[in-house]
Amino acid sequence: MPCLSCLIQVPLAIHVDGHRSSELRKAISTLDLTPHRDEGRTRHKLINSSLLLKACIRSGNLDLGKLLHHKLIHSGLPLDSVLLNSLISLYSKCGDWQNALSIFRGMGDMRDLVSWSALISCFANNTMDSQALLTFLRMLQSGIYPNEYCFTASIRSSSNAQYFSIGRVIFGFVLKTGYFDSHVCVGCALIDMFVKGSGDIQSARLVFDKMRDKNLVTWTLMITRFAQLGLLNQAVDLFCSMLVSDHTPDRFTLTSLLSASVEIGFFSLGKQLHSWVIRSGLASDVCVGCTLVDMYAKCAADDGSVENSRKVFNSMPRHNVMSWTALISGYVHGRQEQEAMKLFCNMLHDHVAPNCFTFSSVLKACANLPDFSFGKQLHAQTIKQDLSAINCVGNSLINMYARAGKADCARKTFNILFEKNLSSYNAAIDANANSEESFNHDIGHTGIGPSSFTYACLLSGAACIGTIAKGEQIHALVVKSGFGTDLCINNALISMYSKCGNKEAALQVFNDMAYRNVITWTSIISALAKHGFATKALELFYEMLEIGVKPNDVTYIAVLSACSHVGLIDEAWKHFNSMHYKYGICPRMEHYACMVDLLGRSGLLLEAIKFIYSMPFDADALVWRTFLGSCRVHRNTKLGEHAAKLILEREPQDPATYILLSNLYASEGRWDDVAAIRKSMKQKKLIKETGYSWIEVDNQVHKFHVGDTSHPQAKKIYDELDELALKIKNLGYIPNTDFVLHDVEDEQKGHYLFQHSEKIAVAFGIVSIPKPKPIRVFKNLRVCGDCHTAMKYISIVTGREIVVRDAYRFHHIKNGKCSCNDYW
């Protein structure tokens, strides 16, 4: 790979028509602003100045507008309200609200409706919602009657959960004054207010239907809002109505529908829209082209090829950073990392500067390659361009360093992120042993802003490491801040409660939601599947289909996982075979992996391997690793060795494969083979992931490793463990020494078993958490089989409910029984 510093050149951000700019500059520089006794000549100079100022605003040449303002100030001419209003607009577009406000305040009696409207719009354009609404109120108090522009700006400032109630009052004012039909911009602002302020798409549609005049922008806005909320059927119906009403869709309409079809995996609609794009002559539009490249790149998850995406890309007359990034991302998702990096270099040769999303995609490719040098060069370039602290770039850097075993680098990157979300927390926890403490500190000191995205990220962070107390605190803040009906946040709440082991709370959030999209349904189905309640998960899936919500590819992963967790082979085959012919969803690698997992868990190893070889594309390491795990459970060494060989051909540096094979040998007492594998790992400098468990007590996360004695209450914990061991042995518990993967005496194996991190965490929970609260323990790896048996006995002798989340699923253990029915 070439040196990146030789390739990356940041282009100029400003693209102005040079000829027009020079003419405008010449006109301003030669403008005579000398005061004159003749009022007519003075008036003429002010008119010329106003025309030039408006030309600066229209052309976006704001610097020349400021230059003209500077000349006017020093001219001594008495500026009229027209010029002053234009200057407010100028500084509003510059984002310089202080100067705009200063001009407004200095106008005195010259303030008119246009002045107030310009200032309200200035505050609204600069996301200063409270100032915009207060200015609107002061205008009314001063006796000025609002026009459609004042209404539009104030409604835009009410388009959030915080000020939605004020927006409803303004809506009533609009209806009473008759301005609802005065201008199409008022109606469009109201549509956005209902959607963005409360997620009320029904009221938004009522506004749309009642609008007397609808232009292309109105139709496109309503279609876009339906699409963004996942209501693709309604979006398509409205699109058809738009065609009947003789409105021709433009690039924004088509891009919106294409993006929505990509988002929910409805690629058949996307392909139909592609033909419309060609017929309407929009195939050369760079925005539409980018969306098509992205769509076909994501289609590659179905057919395993990015060739269609490449064809669209090659047919585009011009490329920008978005089209390059979409194609690069397609190759990364298709696990063609080398080709992705070649494209990245070609993009730089083409003098297109990468953005944060481009770097994020290429860094993901670097994370899967053994050569670490290219990733380090990329990191250096992200620092030079001030992109390394942006969330998506930082997350990719953390993952890359974590995969390379560079925990310190991952930790430093995590600490400088502007805003931490699920991916950053997850990667940081895997990379650094102290990440839980970092999460607690960050959540406690995060300034909770009004953004729903902020809350969703914080909830995802809480879900990641199972800090339910933090999650509940954030939930309370969500309700207090007026975000209780936000769709994105409610989806995050379902995920948080599910991943923290409280499926009842997740179901409560789901049941209380007035509106649900496919993500909502998929989240609750996945939650119930992971908690071992497959029957309820499948019931909800059928309910989802009955009410007309179209499942996507992720929904089917959740459904197949539910079947896998309880061994519903026939049910799984039914859904696997129907997903394509009913909904046009081609099974991708993850769906095949679910079926391999199902067959493998059921002991049907020969059927599983036949299924793998019948796949329409070459099975990746994920599928073979799933199969190898089943070989370990059912102790089939021959097939396990075959799977391990194929995995290592694809990922020779994968330590998990060596560990699984080593465990398989250990379970059969083949200690020489175990030693050989460990020696090979040491020579290749492969590091085994350390197992650990953690538990939250009194809003603090406590982490334990095997045989851990570092906890301040270690003596109390081990005393409790000794007492529990005696009680459960009297009840019939017999240690299963097959789960000790060391060549030692049986007595020593029994001692090792009671030093497992999940048993230590449970003992700590028993001495620290009062009844009747359940004890919730989390583990980064799969829970030990002996620990699973011991916990069932512990639940009897203590009368406590124990919930364990491991790397695969949840185990709800109560009165000696587990929700998994010992099928895991």
Side-chain angles (χ1 to χ4, degrees), residues 37-340:
R37 292 181 180 179
D38 186 343
E39 289 186 9
R41 290 191 179 185
T42 299
R43 181 67 185 160
H44 183 69
K45 290 179 180 182
L46 291 175
I47 292 172
N48 285 340
S49 299
S50 180
L51 292 172
L52 286 173
L53 187 56
K54 288 175 179 176
C56 293
I57 295 170
R58 280 196 302 271
S59 65
N61 205 327
L62 305 177
D63 287 334
L64 284 181
K66 291 179 184 179
L67 176 65
L68 179 54
H69 184 201
H70 182 76
K71 285 193 70 172
L72 285 166
I73 291 171
H74 288 85
S75 70
L77 289 174
L79 304 188
D80 59 18
S81 61
V82 175
L83 259 174
L84 292 168
N85 290 339
S86 295
L87 285 169
I88 294 172
S89 297
L90 169 76
Y91 285 108
S92 171
K93 290 183 180 294
C94 292
D96 187 352
W97 64 269
Q98 292 95 337
N99 262 323
L101 181 59
S102 176
I103 293 167
F104 177 83
R105 285 174 173 169
M107 289 178 72
D109 294 336
M110 285 194 291
R111 293 176 196 153
D112 56 15
L113 176 59
V114 178
S115 316
W116 285 98
S117 179
L119 187 64
I120 294 167
S121 297
C122 171
F123 286 135
N125 293 339
N126 288 283
T127 63
M128 300 171 68
D129 299 328
S130 61
Q131 290 90 332
L133 293 170
L134 284 170
T135 305
F136 180 72
L137 179 61
R138 291 188 187 115
M139 181 189 74
L140 298 178
Q141 291 171 339
S142 69
I144 302 289
Y145 201 79
N147 61 11
E148 61 267 27
Y149 303 109
C150 295
F151 278 125
T152 301
S154 59
I155 291 168
R156 278 195 291 124
S157 294
S158 307
S159 299
N160 52 64
Q162 188 175 4
Y163 297 117
F164 177 68
S165 58
I166 298 174
R168 291 183 66 90
V169 174
I170 296 172
F171 179 40
F173 190 14
V174 166
L175 291 175
K176 287 180 181 178
T177 55
Y179 266 99
F180 180 74
D181 286 325
S182 67
H183 200 283
V184 72
C185 67
V186 177
C188 288
L190 286 167
I191 289 170
D192 258 358
M193 183 193 75
F194 281 110
V195 174
K196 293 179 179 179
S198 68
D200 187 357
I201 191 70
Q202 289 82 8
S203 295
R205 179 61 192 264
L206 281 173
V207 170
F208 175 83
D209 291 338
K210 295 290 184 182
M211 288 175 68
R212 185 176 58 198
D213 298 319
K214 303 182 186 77
N215 61 12
L216 181 59
V217 173
T218 317
W219 283 94
T220 299
L221 174 66
M222 196 68 232
I223 291 167
T224 302
R225 295 298 172 251
F226 271 128
Q228 287 173 341
L229 289 173
L231 301 170
L232 197 56
N233 288 335
Q234 291 92 320
V236 172
D237 288 344
L238 198 61
F239 178 73
C240 295
S241 300
M242 173 185 169
L243 300 179
V244 172
S245 68
D246 293 330
H247 283 88
T248 303
D250 63 3
R251 63 192 183 110
F252 301 107
T253 322
L254 291 166
T255 300
S256 177
L257 274 176
L258 280 167
S259 298
S261 65
V262 171
E263 189 68 28
I264 67 171
F266 196 179
F267 297 124
S268 58
L269 172 64
K271 291 172 183 176
Q272 292 177 54
L273 289 169
H274 188 185
S275 65
W276 182 282
V277 165
I278 294 169
R279 290 199 303 272
S280 59
L282 290 169
S284 60
D285 182 85
V286 68
C287 186
V288 175
C290 289
T291 311
L292 286 168
V293 170
D294 183 50
M295 182 190 78
Y296 283 112
K298 288 174 179 171
C299 279
D302 290 343
D303 56 27
S305 168
V306 261
E307 288 307 308
N308 287 330
S309 182
R310 190 67 176 261
K311 286 177 184 176
V312 174
F313 179 84
N314 290 338
S315 68
M316 292 174 66
R318 303 186 317 279
H319 296 120
N320 63 7
V321 64
M322 293 185 294
S323 57
W324 281 102
T325 301
L327 187 61
I328 289 168
S329 297
Y331 278 103
V332 173
H333 287 303
R335 300 302 298 273
Q336 299 182 52
E337 290 88 359
Q338 293 286 1
E339 186 61 29

Side-chain angles (χ1 to χ4, degrees), residues 366-492:
C366 293
N368 295 321
L369 292 173
D371 183 9
F372 190 56
S373 60
F374 194 71
K376 287 194 289 187
Q377 289 185 56
L378 280 171
H379 190 182
Q381 292 302 325
T382 63
I383 293 170
K384 287 180 181 178
Q385 298 192 39
D386 291 327
L387 296 174
S388 60
I390 292 176
N391 202 285
C392 63
V393 178
N395 292 347
S396 296
L397 284 167
I398 293 169
N399 278 305
M400 181 186 74
Y401 284 124
R403 292 289 291 271
K406 307 287 185 182
D408 290 342
C409 296
R411 177 71 178 177
K412 288 175 183 175
T413 306
F414 176 80
N415 287 337
I416 67 167
L417 288 182
F418 291 144
E419 190 172 279
K420 301 171 177 65
N421 64 7
L422 171 62
S423 300
S424 51
Y425 280 112
N426 204 2
I429 289 166
D430 288 341
N432 193 289
N434 296 319
S435 297
E436 297 93 331
E437 290 79 1
S438 171
F439 174 78
N440 286 333
H441 174 78
D442 288 340
I443 292 292
H445 293 80
T446 299
I448 305 295
S451 167
S452 62
F453 177 75
T454 306
Y455 286 118
C457 288
L458 291 172
L459 287 166
S460 295
C464 179
I465 58 174
T467 55
I468 192 167
K470 292 294 184 187
E472 288 170 341
Q473 290 174 21
I474 297 164
H475 191 177
L477 284 170
V478 163
V479 175
K480 287 179 182 177
S481 303
F483 283 93
T485 59
D486 185 272
L487 180 65
C488 176
I489 290 178
N490 277 304
N491 289 342

Side-chain angles (χ1 to χ4, degrees), residues 631-652:
C631 293
R632 157 75 178 89
V633 172
H634 296 287
R635 298 187 178 183
N636 191 318
T637 307
K638 184 177 179 182
L639 289 177
E641 288 174 331
H642 175 69
K645 179 185 175 183
L646 291 171
I647 297 169
L648 294 174
E649 284 178 2
R650 292 159 175 77
E651 296 183 5

Side-chain angles (χ1 to χ4, degrees), residues 496-745:
M496 184 275 292
Y497 281 120
S498 167
K499 290 179 180 179
C500 289
N502 192 341
K503 70 169 180 54
E504 292 80 11
L507 272 169
Q508 186 64 52
V509 173
F510 175 81
N511 290 331
D512 290 343
M513 291 174 69
Y515 169 71
R516 306 172 185 130
N517 64 5
V518 66
I519 298 171
T520 317
W521 287 94
T522 300
S523 296
I524 196 66
I525 292 167
S526 179
L528 291 167
K530 287 181 179 177
H531 281 266
F533 300 91
T535 304
K536 178 64 175 175
L538 292 170
E539 284 176 6
L540 285 175
F541 176 64
Y542 287 121
E543 183 182 336
M544 167 188 167
L545 299 180
E546 283 176 11
I547 65 172
V549 178
K550 181 182 179 294
N552 60 22
D553 56 338
V554 182
T555 314
Y556 272 103
I557 290 173
V559 169
L560 294 175
S561 296
C563 295
S564 178
H565 284 313
V566 291
L568 296 175
I569 297 175
D570 292 340
E571 182 84 6
W573 276 119
K574 180 178 77 173
H575 295 301
F576 182 81
N577 291 326
S578 68
M579 59 189 286
H580 179 60
Y581 71 77
K582 273 192 176 181
Y583 297 102
I585 302 171
C586 293
R588 51 188 174 91
M589 199 69 76
E590 289 84 351
H591 299 101
Y592 284 97
C594 287
M595 293 303 296
V596 171
D597 184 49
L598 171 70
L599 296 170
R601 283 175 190 266
S602 305
L604 303 173
L605 296 177
L606 290 176
E607 286 86 343
I609 202 166
K610 285 179 184 175
F611 176 74
I612 292 172
Y613 282 117
S614 71
M615 288 166 57
F617 37 73
D618 188 35
D620 68 359
L622 169 67
V623 172
W624 284 111
R625 198 178 292 114
T626 302
F627 181 71
L628 175 56
S630 298
C631 293
R632 157 75 178 89
V633 172
H634 296 287
R635 298 187 178 183
N636 191 318
T637 307
K638 184 177 179 182
L639 289 177
E641 288 174 331
H642 175 69
K645 179 185 175 183
L646 291 171
I647 297 169
L648 294 174
E649 284 178 2
R650 292 159 175 77
E651 296 183 5
Q653 299 299 113
D654 177 39
T657 302
Y658 289 97
I659 298 301
L660 279 170
L661 190 58
S662 172
N663 293 348
L664 181 56
Y665 288 144
S667 66
E668 294 192 346
R670 293 171 57 175
W671 302 111
D672 290 342
D673 291 323
V674 171
I677 287 179
R678 288 176 178 168
K679 182 179 179 182
S680 176
M681 288 183 68
K682 190 173 181 180
Q683 289 172 343
K684 294 179 180 179
K685 297 180 180 179
L686 299 178
I687 301 170
K688 175 186 175 182
E689 183 179 6
T690 304
Y692 57 88
S693 301
W694 67 96
I695 182 171
E696 184 184 15
V697 176
D698 294 332
N699 214 14
Q700 184 179 355
V701 174
H702 300 261
K703 182 175 176 180
F704 301 95
H705 291 88
V706 62
D708 203 334
T709 58
S710 62
H711 196 276
Q713 299 185 52
K715 186 178 184 307
K716 191 174 181 180
I717 294 169
Y718 279 97
D719 286 345
E720 180 67 25
L721 271 176
D722 290 340
E723 189 176 333
L724 287 172
L726 287 172
K727 287 180 180 178
I728 65 176
K729 283 177 182 177
N730 290 335
L731 206 62
Y733 162 75
I734 300 172
N736 187 344
T737 56
D738 288 346
F739 290 96
V740 179
L741 305 175
H742 299 278
D743 187 15
V744 295
E745 297 297 326

